[in-house]
PDB file of all heavy atoms in Angstrom:
ATOM      1  N   LEU S  69      29.570 -38.596  94.289  1.00  0.00           N
ATOM      2  CA  LEU S  69      30.583 -38.183  95.248  1.00  0.00           C
ATOM      3  C   LEU S  69      31.960 -38.702  94.877  1.00  0.00           C
ATOM      4  O   LEU S  69      32.968 -38.047  95.110  1.00  0.00           O
ATOM      5  CB  LEU S  69      30.202 -38.686  96.649  1.00  0.00           C
ATOM      6  CG  LEU S  69      28.976 -38.022  97.287  1.00  0.00           C
ATOM      7  CD1 LEU S  69      28.652 -38.690  98.614  1.00  0.00           C
ATOM      8  CD2 LEU S  69      29.203 -36.543  97.476  1.00  0.00           C
ATOM      9  N   ILE S  73      33.970 -33.819  90.345  1.00  0.00           N
ATOM     10  CA  ILE S  73      34.982 -32.931  90.897  1.00  0.00           C
ATOM     11  C   ILE S  73      34.346 -31.999  91.918  1.00  0.00           C
ATOM     12  O   ILE S  73      33.159 -31.706  91.860  1.00  0.00           O
ATOM     13  CB  ILE S  73      35.611 -32.117  89.751  1.00  0.00           C
ATOM     14  CG1 ILE S  73      36.789 -31.314  90.262  1.00  0.00           C
ATOM     15  CG2 ILE S  73      34.611 -31.188  89.150  1.00  0.00           C
ATOM     16  CD1 ILE S  73      37.591 -30.698  89.142  1.00  0.00           C
ATOM     17  N   SER S  74      35.133 -31.525  92.839  1.00  0.00           N
ATOM     18  CA  SER S  74      34.625 -30.562  93.813  1.00  0.00           C
ATOM     19  C   SER S  74      34.283 -29.270  93.103  1.00  0.00           C
ATOM     20  O   SER S  74      35.004 -28.785  92.255  1.00  0.00           O
ATOM     21  CB  SER S  74      35.690 -30.295  94.871  1.00  0.00           C
ATOM     22  OG  SER S  74      35.990 -31.485  95.556  1.00  0.00           O
ATOM     23  N   THR S  75      33.149 -28.717  93.420  1.00  0.00           N
ATOM     24  CA  THR S  75      32.678 -27.496  92.775  1.00  0.00           C
ATOM     25  C   THR S  75      32.458 -26.421  93.814  1.00  0.00           C
ATOM     26  O   THR S  75      32.683 -26.610  95.009  1.00  0.00           O
ATOM     27  CB  THR S  75      31.355 -27.793  92.048  1.00  0.00           C
ATOM     28  OG1 THR S  75      30.366 -28.081  93.027  1.00  0.00           O
ATOM     29  CG2 THR S  75      31.483 -28.973  91.101  1.00  0.00           C
ATOM     30  N   SER S  76      32.015 -25.293  93.289  1.00  0.00           N
ATOM     31  CA  SER S  76      31.705 -24.184  94.190  1.00  0.00           C
ATOM     32  C   SER S  76      30.485 -24.472  95.032  1.00  0.00           C
ATOM     33  O   SER S  76      30.177 -23.713  95.929  1.00  0.00           O
ATOM     34  CB  SER S  76      31.480 -22.929  93.358  1.00  0.00           C
ATOM     35  OG  SER S  76      30.415 -23.144  92.474  1.00  0.00           O
ATOM     36  N   CYS S  77      29.782 -25.555  94.711  1.00  0.00           N
ATOM     37  CA  CYS S  77      28.580 -25.889  95.437  1.00  0.00           C
ATOM     38  C   CYS S  77      28.862 -26.784  96.622  1.00  0.00           C
ATOM     39  O   CYS S  77      27.953 -27.204  97.306  1.00  0.00           O
ATOM     40  CB  CYS S  77      27.584 -26.581  94.503  1.00  0.00           C
ATOM     41  SG  CYS S  77      27.227 -25.638  93.043  1.00  0.00           S
ATOM     42  N   SER S  78      30.090 -27.158  96.876  1.00  0.00           N
ATOM     43  CA  SER S  78      30.370 -28.099  97.946  1.00  0.00           C
ATOM     44  C   SER S  78      31.765 -27.855  98.496  1.00  0.00           C
ATOM     45  O   SER S  78      32.680 -27.491  97.795  1.00  0.00           O
ATOM     46  CB  SER S  78      30.242 -29.547  97.432  1.00  0.00           C
ATOM     47  OG  SER S  78      30.615 -30.445  98.438  1.00  0.00           O
ATOM     48  N   LEU S  79      31.903 -28.100  99.808  1.00  0.00           N
ATOM     49  CA  LEU S  79      33.208 -28.013 100.463  1.00  0.00           C
ATOM     50  C   LEU S  79      33.804 -29.386 100.707  1.00  0.00           C
ATOM     51  O   LEU S  79      34.881 -29.512 101.268  1.00  0.00           O
ATOM     52  CB  LEU S  79      33.070 -27.285 101.806  1.00  0.00           C
ATOM     53  CG  LEU S  79      32.774 -25.772 101.697  1.00  0.00           C
ATOM     54  CD1 LEU S  79      32.515 -25.225 103.091  1.00  0.00           C
ATOM     55  CD2 LEU S  79      33.907 -25.047 101.021  1.00  0.00           C
ATOM     56  N   LEU S  80      33.096 -30.434 100.285  1.00  0.00           N
ATOM     57  CA  LEU S  80      33.586 -31.783 100.530  1.00  0.00           C
ATOM     58  C   LEU S  80      34.771 -32.084  99.634  1.00  0.00           C
ATOM     59  O   LEU S  80      34.739 -31.833  98.441  1.00  0.00           O
ATOM     60  CB  LEU S  80      32.471 -32.809 100.282  1.00  0.00           C
ATOM     61  CG  LEU S  80      31.288 -32.707 101.235  1.00  0.00           C
ATOM     62  CD1 LEU S  80      30.214 -33.709 100.814  1.00  0.00           C
ATOM     63  CD2 LEU S  80      31.707 -32.975 102.674  1.00  0.00           C
ATOM     64  N   PRO S  81      35.843 -32.664 100.191  1.00  0.00           N
ATOM     65  CA  PRO S  81      36.960 -33.045  99.337  1.00  0.00           C
ATOM     66  C   PRO S  81      36.618 -34.298  98.561  1.00  0.00           C
ATOM     67  O   PRO S  81      35.694 -35.015  98.883  1.00  0.00           O
ATOM     68  CB  PRO S  81      38.089 -33.314 100.357  1.00  0.00           C
ATOM     69  CG  PRO S  81      37.366 -33.738 101.585  1.00  0.00           C
ATOM     70  CD  PRO S  81      36.074 -32.981 101.604  1.00  0.00           C
ATOM     71  N   PRO S  82      37.349 -34.579  97.473  1.00  0.00           N
ATOM     72  CA  PRO S  82      37.087 -35.796  96.708  1.00  0.00           C
ATOM     73  C   PRO S  82      37.294 -37.040  97.550  1.00  0.00           C
ATOM     74  O   PRO S  82      38.174 -37.115  98.392  1.00  0.00           O
ATOM     75  CB  PRO S  82      38.101 -35.713  95.569  1.00  0.00           C
ATOM     76  CG  PRO S  82      38.489 -34.271  95.497  1.00  0.00           C
ATOM     77  CD  PRO S  82      38.383 -33.749  96.887  1.00  0.00           C
ATOM     78  N   VAL S  92      40.656 -28.746  91.899  1.00  0.00           N
ATOM     79  CA  VAL S  92      39.771 -27.984  92.770  1.00  0.00           C
ATOM     80  C   VAL S  92      39.906 -26.511  92.416  1.00  0.00           C
ATOM     81  O   VAL S  92      40.991 -25.962  92.391  1.00  0.00           O
ATOM     82  CB  VAL S  92      40.117 -28.206  94.257  1.00  0.00           C
ATOM     83  CG1 VAL S  92      39.186 -27.406  95.141  1.00  0.00           C
ATOM     84  CG2 VAL S  92      40.047 -29.677  94.587  1.00  0.00           C
ATOM     85  N   GLU S  93      38.797 -25.918  92.112  1.00  0.00           N
ATOM     86  CA  GLU S  93      38.794 -24.498  91.800  1.00  0.00           C
ATOM     87  C   GLU S  93      38.788 -23.721  93.108  1.00  0.00           C
ATOM     88  O   GLU S  93      37.766 -23.522  93.740  1.00  0.00           O
ATOM     89  CB  GLU S  93      37.568 -24.156  90.946  1.00  0.00           C
ATOM     90  CG  GLU S  93      37.585 -22.729  90.455  1.00  0.00           C
ATOM     91  CD  GLU S  93      36.329 -22.424  89.684  1.00  0.00           C
ATOM     92  OE1 GLU S  93      35.527 -23.340  89.479  1.00  0.00           O
ATOM     93  OE2 GLU S  93      36.168 -21.260  89.314  1.00  0.00           O
ATOM     94  N   GLU S  96      36.457 -20.668  94.131  1.00  0.00           N
ATOM     95  CA  GLU S  96      35.019 -20.764  94.342  1.00  0.00           C
ATOM     96  C   GLU S  96      34.701 -21.832  95.379  1.00  0.00           C
ATOM     97  O   GLU S  96      33.943 -22.750  95.160  1.00  0.00           O
ATOM     98  CB  GLU S  96      34.314 -21.103  93.018  1.00  0.00           C
ATOM     99  CG  GLU S  96      34.396 -20.005  92.013  1.00  0.00           C
ATOM    100  CD  GLU S  96      33.628 -20.376  90.768  1.00  0.00           C
ATOM    101  OE1 GLU S  96      33.074 -21.471  90.712  1.00  0.00           O
ATOM    102  OE2 GLU S  96      33.596 -19.543  89.871  1.00  0.00           O
ATOM    103  N   VAL S  97      35.304 -21.731  96.524  1.00  0.00           N
ATOM    104  CA  VAL S  97      35.073 -22.709  97.583  1.00  0.00           C
ATOM    105  C   VAL S  97      34.144 -22.160  98.647  1.00  0.00           C
ATOM    106  O   VAL S  97      34.020 -22.729  99.717  1.00  0.00           O
ATOM    107  CB  VAL S  97      36.413 -23.149  98.219  1.00  0.00           C
ATOM    108  CG1 VAL S  97      37.248 -23.880  97.219  1.00  0.00           C
ATOM    109  CG2 VAL S  97      37.158 -21.930  98.767  1.00  0.00           C
ATOM    110  N   THR S  98      33.509 -21.070  98.361  1.00  0.00           N
ATOM    111  CA  THR S  98      32.559 -20.542  99.334  1.00  0.00           C
ATOM    112  C   THR S  98      31.295 -21.371  99.309  1.00  0.00           C
ATOM    113  O   THR S  98      30.900 -21.897  98.282  1.00  0.00           O
ATOM    114  CB  THR S  98      32.226 -19.087  98.993  1.00  0.00           C
ATOM    115  OG1 THR S  98      31.759 -19.043  97.654  1.00  0.00           O
ATOM    116  CG2 THR S  98      33.438 -18.196  99.162  1.00  0.00           C
ATOM    117  N   PRO S  99      30.619 -21.511 100.437  1.00  0.00           N
ATOM    118  CA  PRO S  99      29.386 -22.302 100.462  1.00  0.00           C
ATOM    119  C   PRO S  99      28.308 -21.649  99.617  1.00  0.00           C
ATOM    120  O   PRO S  99      28.296 -20.457  99.379  1.00  0.00           O
ATOM    121  CB  PRO S  99      29.006 -22.318 101.949  1.00  0.00           C
ATOM    122  CG  PRO S  99      30.252 -21.915 102.675  1.00  0.00           C
ATOM    123  CD  PRO S  99      31.013 -21.025 101.769  1.00  0.00           C
ATOM    124  N   CYS S 100      27.357 -22.498  99.165  1.00  0.00           N
ATOM    125  CA  CYS S 100      26.265 -21.987  98.348  1.00  0.00           C
ATOM    126  C   CYS S 100      25.326 -21.117  99.155  1.00  0.00           C
ATOM    127  O   CYS S 100      24.621 -20.287  98.594  1.00  0.00           O
ATOM    128  CB  CYS S 100      25.470 -23.153  97.737  1.00  0.00           C
ATOM    129  SG  CYS S 100      26.408 -24.045  96.511  1.00  0.00           S
ATOM    130  N   GLU S 101      25.269 -21.349 100.458  1.00  0.00           N
ATOM    131  CA  GLU S 101      24.297 -20.621 101.250  1.00  0.00           C
ATOM    132  C   GLU S 101      24.620 -19.143 101.332  1.00  0.00           C
ATOM    133  O   GLU S 101      23.754 -18.320 101.545  1.00  0.00           O
ATOM    134  CB  GLU S 101      24.222 -21.200 102.667  1.00  0.00           C
ATOM    135  CG  GLU S 101      23.557 -22.558 102.741  1.00  0.00           C
ATOM    136  CD  GLU S 101      24.470 -23.665 102.262  1.00  0.00           C
ATOM    137  OE1 GLU S 101      25.651 -23.383 102.009  1.00  0.00           O
ATOM    138  OE2 GLU S 101      23.991 -24.809 102.143  1.00  0.00           O
ATOM    139  N   CYS S 163      25.648 -22.606  91.101  1.00  0.00           N
ATOM    140  CA  CYS S 163      25.771 -23.571  92.199  1.00  0.00           C
ATOM    141  C   CYS S 163      24.452 -24.296  92.425  1.00  0.00           C
ATOM    142  O   CYS S 163      24.407 -25.538  92.508  1.00  0.00           O
ATOM    143  CB  CYS S 163      26.214 -22.847  93.458  1.00  0.00           C
ATOM    144  SG  CYS S 163      26.039 -23.808  94.964  1.00  0.00           S
ATOM    145  N   GLU S 166      23.607 -26.671  89.400  1.00  0.00           N
ATOM    146  CA  GLU S 166      24.373 -27.918  89.356  1.00  0.00           C
ATOM    147  C   GLU S 166      23.976 -28.850  90.499  1.00  0.00           C
ATOM    148  O   GLU S 166      23.958 -30.074  90.334  1.00  0.00           O
ATOM    149  CB  GLU S 166      25.867 -27.599  89.403  1.00  0.00           C
ATOM    150  CG  GLU S 166      26.353 -26.861  88.165  1.00  0.00           C
ATOM    151  CD  GLU S 166      27.799 -26.435  88.273  1.00  0.00           C
ATOM    152  OE1 GLU S 166      28.443 -26.761  89.303  1.00  0.00           O
ATOM    153  OE2 GLU S 166      28.305 -25.769  87.342  1.00  0.00           O
ATOM    154  N   LYS S 167      23.632 -28.273  91.640  1.00  0.00           N
ATOM    155  CA  LYS S 167      23.165 -29.103  92.749  1.00  0.00           C
ATOM    156  C   LYS S 167      21.850 -29.795  92.376  1.00  0.00           C
ATOM    157  O   LYS S 167      21.660 -30.998  92.662  1.00  0.00           O
ATOM    158  CB  LYS S 167      22.975 -28.221  93.991  1.00  0.00           C
ATOM    159  CG  LYS S 167      22.463 -28.977  95.213  1.00  0.00           C
ATOM    160  CD  LYS S 167      22.306 -28.018  96.385  1.00  0.00           C
ATOM    161  CE  LYS S 167      21.752 -28.739  97.607  1.00  0.00           C
ATOM    162  NZ  LYS S 167      21.565 -27.801  98.744  1.00  0.00           N
ATOM    163  N   ARG S 170      22.402 -32.728  89.984  1.00  0.00           N
ATOM    164  CA  ARG S 170      22.799 -33.964  90.677  1.00  0.00           C
ATOM    165  C   ARG S 170      21.586 -34.619  91.334  1.00  0.00           C
ATOM    166  O   ARG S 170      21.472 -35.848  91.356  1.00  0.00           O
ATOM    167  CB  ARG S 170      23.864 -33.663  91.721  1.00  0.00           C
ATOM    168  CG  ARG S 170      25.211 -33.277  91.133  1.00  0.00           C
ATOM    169  CD  ARG S 170      26.287 -33.206  92.221  1.00  0.00           C
ATOM    170  NE  ARG S 170      27.576 -32.866  91.658  1.00  0.00           N
ATOM    171  CZ  ARG S 170      28.011 -31.630  91.513  1.00  0.00           C
ATOM    172  NH1 ARG S 170      27.258 -30.615  91.903  1.00  0.00           N
ATOM    173  NH2 ARG S 170      29.194 -31.385  90.977  1.00  0.00           N
TER     174      ARG S 170
END
Side-chain angles (χ1 to χ4, degrees):
L69 291 176
I73 187 170
S74 298
T75 67
S76 60
C77 305
S78 175
L79 290 174
L80 295 176
V92 180
E93 186 183 355
E96 293 183 359
V97 295
T98 55
C100 291
E101 288 76 7
C163 166
E166 294 175 3
K167 179 180 178 181
R170 290 189 179 90

